Amino acid sequence: MIQLNYRDSKPIYEQIKDGFRKLIITNSLSANEKLPSVRELASGLAINPNTIQKAYRDLESEGYTYTVAGKGTFVAEHREILNTRQHELLEEFDEVVEELCFLSVSRSDLITRIEHAAERGEKV
């Protein structure tokens, strides 16, 4: 389900969040589907349950999941997730573009890169 790279500089909980985000956004996990329990996933990945708990807590605060007391953690409705994630990414995009402009990257270079990235995205 989730693959970890222990040589990656990205923290383990971030890798777990990214893995679940991808599974949710690509509909590999459906809305209202139950995620593995913290203990179950920690045991399967051989990592500390606190690491899983942090990833789950962050996913919930970002709107990807919700928790039902005594039942577990579940995938949120995809429509809400997609709208939230689009908003977050567009804000990050604006910040990156502003910084690139400050670094004197030309408008035409930015447009070309966006067009190429969009073409790659359409092929997926």
Side-chain angles (χ1 to χ4, degrees), residues 24-94:
I24 292 168
I25 289 172
T26 60
N27 290 322
S28 296
L29 291 173
S30 1
N32 302 310
E33 185 172 339
K34 187 178 186 306
L35 298 184
S37 72
V38 169
R39 290 180 193 217
E40 181 183 345
L41 189 56
S43 174
L45 295 174
I47 59 175
N48 188 312
N50 292 333
T51 303
I52 305 296
Q53 187 62 47
K54 177 161 179 45
Y56 276 17
R57 195 171 35 248
D58 287 359
L59 285 167
E60 185 169 4
S61 72
E62 293 170 6
Y64 288 92
T65 62
Y66 64 94
T67 301
V68 176
K71 301 229 184 237
T73 302
F74 299 84
V75 176
E77 292 292 329
H78 289 181
R79 201 172 356 164
E80 295 172 23
I81 294 167
L82 295 178
N83 288 338
T84 301
R85 188 64 178 150
Q86 283 177 352
H87 180 72
E88 290 171 358
L89 289 173
L90 286 171
E91 284 183 0
E92 288 177 31
F93 176 79
D94 291 345

Side-chain angles (χ1 to χ4, degrees), residues 90-109:
L90 286 171
E91 284 183 0
E92 288 177 31
F93 176 79
D94 291 345
E95 291 172 12
V96 169
V97 168
E98 285 177 25
E99 186 171 347
L100 287 168
C101 289
F102 178 74
L103 295 170
S104 301
V105 174
S106 73
R107 178 181 293 229
S108 63
D109 285 345

